[in-house]
Amino acid sequence: MKVLVTVKRVIDFNVKIRVKSDNTGVETANVKMSMNPFDEIAVEEGVRLREAGTVTELIAVSMGPPACQETIRTALAMGCDRGILVESDVDLQPLAVAKLLKVLVERESPDLVILGKQAIDDDSNQTGQMLAALLGWPQGTFASKLVLADGAAEVTREIDGGLETVSLKLPAVITTDLRLNTPRYASLPNIMKAKKKAIDVLSPDDLGVDVTPRLTTLKVEEPSKRQAGVMVGSVAELVDKLRNEAKVI
């Protein structure tokens, strides 16, 4: 079985985000970047399936500037076999990423595609669903448990009311939630070995996909600062403030 996992290069989750002075986006120059945390979970799940003998080949895919090779190397150090980088200086939006992945899936013919449910930079939560629609494959989103057996994937997924278990006929698309697993740290020997693993570099033109952005960001602003709280002397005063000042009741 062949599995394809996606890895996105994002601002590290420990970094405090700063909005650019011209309000066109967030500052990324001289900022620590790392693999999207949900994608780390996707890679870990693929590696565990490989270690269990269910998967024979695990491919890490990233899209963006040349620096994304570092993110792929991290995935290779965690246990992926090889990497594919679709190099582009264009800001790739979810639909463009899904179209690029569709072509790669048609080329590689994996039995399973595992993605993080969302990226922490744009929080779109769209790519996995769009990919499944383009491929016509079943999808299991927000997976907190995954079991593969007899050509099917049993996915326990997190929903508003609790948990839902679905059975998907392979090939399928899975998106990972936080409780699926805990990603491992790459060991130094594996980091050294990852430097020798192959990374194929392609372009959107090689895949015949138009990645021109279809959405325009008008303005990016920091959220307004929270106002200091006030002490109230009674429940009646609290209700009065909620009704007449906050206007939430």
Side-chain angles (χ1 to χ4, degrees), residues 52-209:
T54 307
V55 172
T56 55
E57 186 176 21
L58 187 60
I59 307 166
V61 177
S62 190
M63 301 178 186
C68 290
Q69 289 201 33
E70 299 173 11
T71 309
I72 295 177
R73 292 290 177 198
T74 300
L76 296 177
M78 290 175 68
C80 291
D81 298 296
R82 60 187 175 93
I84 299 174
L85 171 62
V86 181
E87 194 172 296
S88 174
D89 293 326
V90 176
D91 182 22
L92 296 174
Q93 295 175 350
L95 181 59
V97 174
K99 288 180 176 180
L100 291 168
L101 284 172
K102 176 180 181 289
V103 179
L104 289 177
V105 166
E106 291 170 345
R107 286 189 173 197
E108 295 289 341
S109 300
D111 301 280
L112 189 66
V113 180
I114 309 177
L115 310 89
K117 72 170 185 176
Q118 65 195 82
I120 62 172
D121 53 0
D122 57 19
D123 273 336
S124 291
N125 182 19
Q126 296 174 342
T127 305
Q129 293 90 326
M130 288 178 170
L131 175 62
L134 291 172
L135 291 170
W137 286 10
Q139 59 180 305
T141 55
F142 320 129
S144 59
K145 184 178 180 182
L146 173 63
V147 178
L148 300 181
D150 302 323
E154 186 177 282
V155 180
T156 301
R157 55 189 304 268
E158 302 197 357
I159 59 175
D160 291 341
L163 299 176
E164 176 186 61
T165 301
V166 295
S167 181
L168 312 175
K169 184 178 180 181
L170 298 180
V173 175
I174 307 292
T175 70
T176 62
D177 212 328
L178 282 173
R179 279 154 288 278
L180 181 59
N181 60 53
T182 301
R184 69 192 66 191
Y185 289 102
S187 65
L188 182 59
N190 286 340
I191 291 173
M192 301 305 293
K193 291 177 183 177
K195 294 181 179 180
K196 298 180 180 179
K197 292 183 179 180
I199 297 179
D200 297 327
V201 180
L202 304 170
S203 70
D205 289 339
D206 294 333
L207 301 177
V209 176

